[in-house]
Amino acid sequence: MKKKSFFGILATVVLATDFLFSACSGGTNYVGENDNQNSEGKKSYTVTVSEIITNGTITPSKTTALEGDSINLIVTPTDGYALDSLSVKDADGNNVIVIAGAFLMPASNVTISAVFKVATVSYSVTIDSSITNGNVLSDKTSSVASGDTVTLTVTADGTRRLKSLAVTDSNNNVVPTTNVTAGTTYTFVMPSSDVTIMAIFGYLGSKVTPNAVGDIVFSDGTAEAYDISLTMTTEQNDNVVGVFASSSGNYIVGIKQGGGNYFSYADASTTKLSEHSAATPAPYNSNWRITASAELNEIRNNITDINNSLEKITGAVQIYTSGTGYLISDHEGYLFDFSDAREVEAESSPGRVLFVHDVIVN
């Protein structure tokens, strides 16, 4: 075997050393590129959060990831702020889809940006469940911000109409409403509070309250003015309680007699009169009283207007006068004649007595 000389061995060592030095000093890597690769040789990418985000932070679950990795984002607003917008873009500026605070890593480095805004406290609009004879709908019911305009749509059942509409805050303060379309559309500005909507629906009286002799009064307190062409509906007739009879006070005359509802029997030999019938619609089913002399005189003076209205009400009786007394007729004959509230001169026994009731103010 031929032996190598000393100089041959030295040359071999120098060549090997040059090769190693070249590999370690950035020359050609003959093993493979190891930067941004995992142990399996897959390339990883960086997840960077923009440094200009204010009023909150975004924390990704990973700062480096492989293509297809799921990255969860933890959003932490500063007190008093809320997230307004969030975006993830790749190295070319293309949007990466974020769903429920997570995204899939593309084959690119990504940058996360976010904008935080002053937090807006939201409130709710509740429609009172006790509303009957109609309904109210709100175009906003939850997550309503203070200062938002809320629109209410009101619908009454049948012949009823809106009698009153109230918006109250959590402290029971009234919130002003704007009448956009009478009886159907209203708006209000949302306060810094939850609100409750309450509505009361009445019958088809064109007046909220009676205020003129001859006004026909319904059980909900609304009224209809007399008109020669007026035709009462069945529902209105069933809920009429009387006719406004006073030009100076605030009372109504009952419309029926005896077993009807609003008049009562009395013994001709006594001034103690029995109570009226209790079949009257609430809240007029109590507190009727015998007419006083001054009221009788006023009714006599207004008899024409009162009787005109009574003619429009099915089953009502008219009031007639004779001399200094007052007569009530059932359209078949006079029932009684009296010249004082407590002095009944019955033409038949028992007699029938006129009752009146103070108007219940809406």
Side-chain angles (χ1 to χ4, degrees):
M1 180 177 178
K2 187 176 178 180
K3 294 182 179 180
K4 286 187 180 181
S5 66
F6 170 79
F7 293 103
I9 293 172
L10 179 62
T12 300
V13 172
V14 170
L15 288 173
T17 302
D18 286 344
F19 175 79
L20 290 172
F21 178 79
S22 176
C24 294
S25 61
T28 302
N29 189 336
Y30 291 93
V31 175
E33 295 181 3
N34 292 317
D35 292 342
N36 298 326
Q37 293 185 354
N38 66 1
S39 61
E40 298 177 354
K42 294 182 179 180
K43 188 173 183 179
S44 63
Y45 302 94
T46 60
V47 179
T48 302
V49 178
S50 172
E51 295 181 354
I52 63 173
I53 296 175
T54 59
N55 302 317
T57 61
I58 306 294
T59 305
S61 58
K62 297 179 180 180
T63 56
T64 61
L66 303 176
E67 179 185 359
D69 281 357
S70 178
I71 312 297
N72 295 316
L73 302 176
I74 300 174
V75 179
T76 309
T78 302
D79 287 345
Y81 288 84
L83 181 67
D84 187 26
S85 64
L86 174 68
S87 66
V88 179
K89 294 183 182 293
D90 64 17
D92 295 323
N94 299 311
N95 286 319
V96 178
I97 297 175
V98 179
I99 299 176
F103 67 92
L104 295 179
M105 192 70 180
S108 168
N109 297 331
V110 298
T111 300
I112 302 168
S113 299
V115 175
F116 290 88
K117 64 180 180 179
V118 176
T120 301
V121 180
S122 61
Y123 303 97
S124 64
V125 176
T126 301
I127 307 298
D128 195 301
S129 60
S130 67
I131 294 175
T132 58
N133 303 319
N135 64 77
V136 180
L137 297 177
S138 174
D139 68 334
K140 299 179 180 71
T141 57
S142 61
S143 300
V144 187
S146 175
D148 282 357
T149 297
V150 180
T151 300
L152 303 176
T153 302
V154 178
T155 305
D157 293 342
T159 60
R160 292 174 172 83
R161 65 180 181 85
L162 180 67
K163 179 180 175 183
S164 66
L165 177 70
V167 180
T168 54
D169 66 16
S170 57
N171 293 318
N172 208 33
N173 297 313
V174 175
V175 178
T177 58
T178 299
N179 188 341
V180 178
T181 304
T184 59
T185 308
Y186 298 82
T187 62
F188 67 91
V189 177
M190 192 70 179
S192 299
S193 166
D194 295 335
V195 299
T196 300
I197 313 298
M198 181 60 191
I200 298 175
F201 295 88
Y203 297 96
L204 193 61
S206 59
K207 288 187 171 184
V208 176
T209 55
N211 57 13
V213 173
D215 284 350
I216 299 170
V217 183
F218 303 112
S219 61
D220 68 345
T222 61
E224 188 65 51
Y226 169 81
D227 185 274
I228 193 170
S229 61
L230 176 65
T231 300
M232 302 285 288
T233 67
T234 300
E235 188 173 38
Q236 287 174 325
N237 267 292
D238 289 344
N239 288 277
V240 174
V241 293
V243 173
F244 197 78
S246 174
S247 52
S248 60
N250 192 39
Y251 61 87
I252 58 177
V253 173
I255 60 168
K256 298 179 183 178
Q257 60 179 324
N261 282 345
Y262 316 120
F263 297 92
S264 185
Y265 292 99
D267 187 330
S269 63
T270 179
T271 59
K272 180 177 175 58
L273 303 176
S274 62
E275 291 295 325
H276 61 89
S277 167
T280 320
Y284 287 92
N285 53 4
S286 62
N287 299 320
W288 290 81
R289 68 176 187 276
I290 303 166
T291 47
S293 296
E295 291 169 338
L296 288 172
N297 287 325
E298 188 171 41
I299 291 169
R300 177 188 176 95
N301 294 334
N302 294 324
I303 196 69
T304 299
D305 291 332
I306 294 171
N307 277 338
N308 283 340
S309 295
L310 288 170
E311 284 281 4
K312 296 292 183 180
I313 304 169
T314 303
V317 297
Q318 288 186 299
I319 304 169
Y320 290 86
T321 61
S322 175
T324 58
Y326 299 87
L327 298 173
I328 296 180
S329 169
D330 63 353
H331 300 290
E332 294 180 356
Y334 295 138
L335 297 176
F336 66 91
D337 175 29
F338 60 101
S339 56
D340 184 85
R342 295 183 181 274
E343 292 179 3
V344 179
E345 297 175 3
E347 295 186 7
S348 62
S349 183
R352 290 179 172 86
V353 178
L354 181 63
F355 276 75
V356 294
H357 194 296
D358 290 330
V359 171
I360 297 174
V361 179
N362 293 326

